[in-house]
Amino acid sequence: AQSVTQLGSHVSVSEGALVLLRCNYSSSVPPYLFWYVQYPNQGLQLLLKYTSAATLVKGINGFEAEFKKSETSFHLTKPSAHMSDAAEYFCAVKTNSGGSNYKLTFGKGTLLTVNP
Amino acid sequence: SQTIHQWPATLVQPVGSPLSLECTVEGTSNPNLYWYRQAAGRGLQLLFYSVGIGQISSEVPQNLSASRPQDRQFILSSKKLLLSDSGFYLCAWSVLAGGTDTQYFGPGTRLTVL
């Protein structure tokens, strides 16, 4: 079985500060990992994904994430927060194993607030 | 490029009324299609999954059903809505590429059952 834990349901940063959103996963086989962003009353937009190539993955809007197998983590970072980054962020895991290889398991989300 | 449409964008329905939400995908063939529900404070819940026309897998028992009458059309229905059916419904599509399939989401439908 696979699962995702996002530490911190709400993270608040100042504009220009580092953004760090934490994601830990549990999987018995090599995982595929995703970060999505959701703005109010909109669908989820893919930020980036890890598919077992480079462990440091760069995404859209200046975000990046690093896959650390030893820590079972896939934390999302951005060096300098912008007001437009305020949104909810979801980490998700998927594995190609068994009969549920289509299933994407989501974390509960982290709401990012950016203060001026 | 691929696009995904959902309608209506918002819907207010009384308890016990029927429901039909529609999702269509353009620019791809034979996608996997998904329906999710996002209820307040409960994260994303996968409701249905489809790998092809007429092929529907249900993830959770409920009073909702799904159908796929055409390759790029996915419909979510109910005969009688419950208060607990309120939420934000998201459709998604995926195709296999680079070793796995990545899901892309539509704009969503906000359903309020009164």
Side-chain angles (χ1 to χ4, degrees), chain A residues 6-35:
Chain A
Q6 291 185 240
L7 294 175
S9 60
H10 189 189
V11 170
S12 183
V13 300
S14 298
E15 191 174 18
L18 172 71
V19 175
L20 171 60
L21 304 182
R22 299 179 186 274
C23 172
N24 288 89
Y25 70 91
S26 173
S27 174
S28 58
V29 297
Y32 297 96
L33 295 157
F34 306 81
W35 275 102

Side-chain angles (χ1 to χ4, degrees), chain B residues 84-106:
Chain B
S84 58
D85 291 324
S86 292
F88 193 48
Y89 287 81
L90 290 161
C91 181
W93 69 273
S94 71
V95 291
L96 185 64
T100 190
D101 55 326
T102 300
Q103 292 184 25
Y104 298 93
F105 287 79

Side-chain angles (χ1 to χ4, degrees), chain A residues 99-113:
Chain A
S100 300
N101 58 359
Y102 59 87
K103 191 169 184 176
L104 198 59
T105 301
F106 285 89
K108 294 187 180 300
T110 297
L111 182 64
L112 175 66
T113 302

Side-chain angles (χ1 to χ4, degrees), chain A residues 36 38 41 49 94 102, chain B residues 38 59 101-103 110:
Chain A
Y36 288 87
Q38 185 179 32
N41 292 311
K49 61 181 178 181
K94 180 181 176 298
Y102 59 87
Chain B
Q38 194 175 24
E59 282 294 302
D101 55 326
T102 300
Q103 292 184 25
R110 174 77 58 191

Side-chain angles (χ1 to χ4, degrees), chain B residues 25-85:
Chain B
V25 181
E26 297 177 357
T28 187
S29 297
N30 196 30
N32 294 335
L33 296 173
Y34 311 80
W35 277 112
Y36 288 87
R37 177 169 58 203
Q38 194 175 24
R42 297 188 62 182
L44 281 141
Q45 180 185 32
L46 178 63
L47 302 175
F48 299 97
Y49 161 74
S50 173
V51 297
I53 296 173
Q55 300 179 64
I56 309 295
S57 298
S58 176
E59 282 294 302
V60 293
Q62 60 217 331
N63 70 322
L64 299 171
S65 62
S67 62
R68 186 170 176 174
Q70 300 180 46
D71 181 44
R72 289 169 288 177
Q73 184 185 30
F74 205 23
I75 297 172
L76 183 70
S77 304
S78 174
K79 292 181 179 178
K80 289 186 178 181
L81 284 168
L82 306 173
L83 285 174
S84 58
D85 291 324

Side-chain angles (χ1 to χ4, degrees), chain A:
Chain A
Q2 56 198 31
S3 65
V4 174
T5 301
Q6 291 185 240
L7 294 175
S9 60
H10 189 189
V11 170
S12 183
V13 300
S14 298
E15 191 174 18
L18 172 71
V19 175
L20 171 60
L21 304 182
R22 299 179 186 274
C23 172
N24 288 89
Y25 70 91
S26 173
S27 174
S28 58
V29 297
Y32 297 96
L33 295 157
F34 306 81
W35 275 102
Y36 288 87
V37 60
Q38 185 179 32
Y39 299 99
N41 292 311
Q42 295 187 25
L44 275 68
Q45 180 182 7
L46 181 69
L47 273 178
L48 49 82
K49 61 181 178 181
Y50 167 74
T51 58
S52 76
T55 57
L56 182 62
V57 181
K58 294 188 183 298
I60 62 172
N61 301 340
F63 284 94
E64 63 182 36
E66 186 172 8
F67 173 70
K68 292 187 177 180
K69 183 178 179 180
S70 61
E71 299 177 8
T72 61
S73 69
F74 190 56
H75 302 330
L76 183 70
T77 60
K78 182 174 180 177
S80 177
H82 191 272
M83 296 296 291
S84 60
D85 295 326
E88 189 156 23
Y89 292 79
F90 292 92
C91 182
V93 64
K94 180 181 176 298
T95 59
N96 288 350
S97 68
S100 300
N101 58 359
Y102 59 87
K103 191 169 184 176
L104 198 59
T105 301
F106 285 89
K108 294 187 180 300
T110 297
L111 182 64
L112 175 66
T113 302
V114 182
N115 304 307

